[in-house]
Amino acid sequence: MTDQFNNQNGYGQPGQPIPPAQGYQQPGYQHSYTQPVVDAQNPRKTSSGRTFGTAFAGAALACVIAFGGFTVYQNVTGTPSGSSVTLGASTNTEIQAQSTDDTLPEAVAQKCLPSVAAIDVYTAQASTDMFGRSTSSSGALTESSLGSGVVLSEDGYIVTNNHVVAGADALKVTVGGEEYDADVVGTDESSDIAVIKLRNASGLTPVEIGDSDNLTIGEWVMSIGSPFGLEQSVATGIVSATSRSQIMSNSESSGSDGYGYGYGGSSSQSGGYTIYPNMIQTDAAINPGNSGGALVDSNGKLIGINTLITSYSGNYSGVGFAIPVNYAVNIAQQIIEGKTPTHAQLGVSLSTVNSQNAKRYGLKVDSGAYISAVNSGSGAAEAGLEEGDIVTKFDGNSVSSASDLMLDVRSKNPGDKVTLEVNRNGDTKQVEVTLGSDESSQSAATQQNSGSSSSEMLNRLLNNSGSSSKNDAA
């Protein structure tokens, strides 16, 4: 089963996994937009990965993992819905080096640097009244954060993190020594993936796409991006671990990084959740500005999108995380084709079982994921799962909480068959389930995003009225 960063390792206390600290001086280059004034006591903050939380410990909180912030700007990109775009380089090359310590880093850097972009994010300045409420926008654009991205096509499709571009009013992207204006093609908040498109770009160097399903712990890797705004920076390391997974509440993390600076630098993040399944852990340096950049292997092939770190200080301390490329490119492809990104779904509402509530309610097991509702027509319903079942294993791996089961489901694809071990009134049963898709709930979230509060949307998506606040969905 996927690893959990839960209380057993002390996370949730000072020193828990957090985004890179957002504070550094502006480098010496100039942009055509008005630059912000950097306060020496409170330097400008940057976009970065968010804190790994200890979500869903004990009694479960409300969430819908299908809840996402997806937008498509076909009128800007000129890409019709359903069009086929080939992502990644059309040819593959092998790197030959005499030794890892000698020429390999040089060869990989030379190959990959043209495929990694620096993204500068600008937002409109808003006026506020005496109570701190926004009253109007002056129209002036100020650089509010920055990040990195990876070139997927010759005409300028770039994959990055959603938290890098969330709330952006304008984007300036530097790649191959040239600066471009760019537009957001689409985002998937629940997986922290976004795609942007450079205007009037051609002849770019797409990255070669590797395979994140066949990584070896200890293998050599390189991280590439713009730490602290220093474009075209590389750092080497190894794959420290795989299958590191976590769920994070966007609303809880917004503005909670210690700098009063929200997740991705934007207050536009919804009250949804971001699911990080099977992330790659590395000791290659990841710092503020690296978010959305490349993690590549010894052949210069993309294996991950750099996203998060664990640190006491907020800066690099040897533990970083990247979204696996197979997962990231699948989401990016759906966005480019004008689709709403979809993920595997079991079709149930869940609560966490622990020793306290098991004793209180007379449950037969003291850990697992309690099924409080089964959605009609879902894979769970067709497999015969019932309200009151407690899921204790997923494909043979232990399930100790609702978040465990949600992460296990997200690590699969729609249509995959999985075997659940459930406890039903004290009897243990093996149930085979064909996972469905969250397409309908994703579409509902998109349609309601402009006119409803997050709590109203959660209730609609769960179809569970007032009781939704006590259930998770998978």
Side-chain angles (χ1 to χ4, degrees):
M1 191 188 72
T2 54
D3 268 343
Q4 296 294 308
F5 299 118
N6 281 328
N7 294 330
Q8 61 184 0
N9 292 324
Y11 295 106
Q13 304 301 320
Q16 66 182 11
I18 60 173
Q22 295 160 334
Y24 59 92
Q25 297 292 334
Q26 179 73 1
Y29 53 82
Q30 294 296 320
H31 294 277
S32 58
Y33 288 7
T34 302
Q35 292 297 311
V37 176
V38 179
D39 184 344
Q41 300 302 317
N42 185 23
R44 178 166 63 84
K45 292 91 177 172
T46 69
S47 173
S48 63
R50 291 299 309 163
T51 305
F52 274 175
T54 54
F56 310 114
L61 302 175
C63 77
V64 176
I65 63 175
F67 191 68
F70 176 74
T71 55
V72 177
Y73 296 161
Q74 293 179 3
N75 59 324
V76 174
T77 65
T79 302
S81 178
S83 65
S84 177
V85 177
T86 300
L87 304 184
S90 57
T91 59
N92 292 319
T93 58
E94 298 294 322
I95 291 178
Q96 301 294 329
Q98 295 179 352
S99 72
T100 298
D101 295 329
D102 184 15
T103 62
L104 179 60
E106 299 171 10
V108 172
Q110 183 178 17
K111 177 179 179 178
C112 297
L113 281 171
S115 302
V116 179
I119 302 173
D120 292 279
V121 178
Y122 294 83
T123 54
Q125 291 186 359
S127 301
T128 58
D129 60 18
M130 61 181 296
F131 300 105
R133 296 172 300 191
S134 178
T135 57
S136 64
S137 175
S138 65
L141 293 175
T142 300
E143 185 173 12
S144 57
S145 61
L146 59 80
S148 304
V150 183
V151 178
L152 293 180
S153 69
E154 292 183 358
D155 60 346
Y157 282 106
I158 290 178
V159 64
T160 185
N161 286 136
N162 174 66
H163 74 256
V164 169
V165 299
D169 292 307
L171 298 172
K172 289 283 187 180
V173 179
T174 303
V175 59
E178 299 290 333
E179 186 178 75
Y180 300 85
D181 290 315
D183 303 286
V184 177
V185 179
T187 67
D188 181 35
E189 184 177 316
S190 73
S191 62
D192 201 11
I193 292 295
V195 175
I196 63 176
K197 178 70 162 59
L198 306 187
R199 298 179 187 174
N200 305 315
S202 62
L204 301 183
T205 304
V207 71
E208 289 184 17
I209 296 175
D211 184 1
S212 53
D213 288 342
N214 295 302
L215 300 178
T216 301
I217 294 175
E219 74 172 90
W220 186 94
V221 293
M222 174 181 284
S223 64
I224 310 176
S226 303
F228 303 102
L230 302 173
E231 301 172 11
Q232 300 280 277
S233 296
V234 304
T236 62
I238 61 170
V239 172
S240 303
T242 58
S243 300
R244 301 297 199 193
S245 303
Q246 189 54 257
I247 300 173
M248 183 176 64
S249 165
N250 296 336
S251 59
E252 288 180 346
S253 60
S254 180
S256 63
D257 62 4
Y259 295 90
Y261 185 66
Y263 178 44
S266 168
S267 60
S268 65
Q269 291 275 115
S270 75
Y273 287 77
T274 302
I275 315 296
Y276 295 105
N278 298 328
M279 295 188 80
I280 303 163
Q281 180 183 330
T282 180
D283 66 349
I286 299 174
N287 278 297
N290 275 118
S291 286
L295 187 70
V296 300
D297 64 14
S298 58
N299 277 312
K301 295 184 179 181
L302 183 69
I303 59 171
I305 302 298
N306 297 324
T307 301
L308 299 169
I309 67 169
T310 293
S311 174
Y312 284 97
S313 66
N315 293 324
Y316 169 73
S317 61
V319 183
F321 303 92
I323 298 173
V325 69
N326 293 8
Y327 182 77
V329 169
N330 177 45
I331 298 297
Q333 184 74 65
Q334 294 180 62
I335 291 173
I336 291 171
E337 292 177 354
K339 300 175 181 177
T340 299
T342 59
H343 319 90
Q345 187 176 65
L346 182 59
V348 296
S349 295
L350 303 168
S351 293
T352 293
V353 175
N354 55 37
S355 57
Q356 290 79 16
N357 58 35
K359 181 178 180 180
R360 178 178 179 182
Y361 295 108
L363 303 179
K364 303 300 182 181
V365 294
D366 58 9
S367 67
Y370 180 91
I371 297 178
S372 55
V374 179
N375 299 338
S376 176
S378 66
E382 294 177 359
L385 289 175
E386 300 176 359
E387 180 180 339
D389 286 347
I390 301 174
V391 181
T392 56
K393 288 187 178 181
F394 182 98
D395 276 349
N397 297 312
S398 297
V399 172
S400 59
S401 66
S403 57
D404 279 0
L405 184 55
M406 293 166 69
L407 285 164
D408 285 334
V409 170
R410 179 57 76 89
S411 70
K412 301 293 184 178
N413 296 311
D416 285 354
K417 291 185 177 180
V418 299
T419 300
L420 304 182
E421 182 174 290
V422 302
N423 186 286
R424 182 178 296 170
N425 299 321
D427 296 328
T428 300
K429 298 180 178 295
Q430 302 291 322
V431 180
E432 185 177 78
V433 183
T434 300
L435 298 176
S437 168
D438 64 357
E439 181 177 3
S440 60
S441 52
Q442 285 281 63
S443 298
T446 301
Q447 293 168 4
Q448 297 294 334
N449 192 36
S450 61
S452 301
S453 68
S454 59
S455 60
E456 290 171 340
M457 283 183 274
L458 291 173
N459 288 337
R460 287 193 182 96
L461 295 175
L462 285 170
N463 293 317
N464 203 16
S465 62
S467 63
S468 64
S469 63
K470 297 182 181 180
N471 295 285
D472 302 325

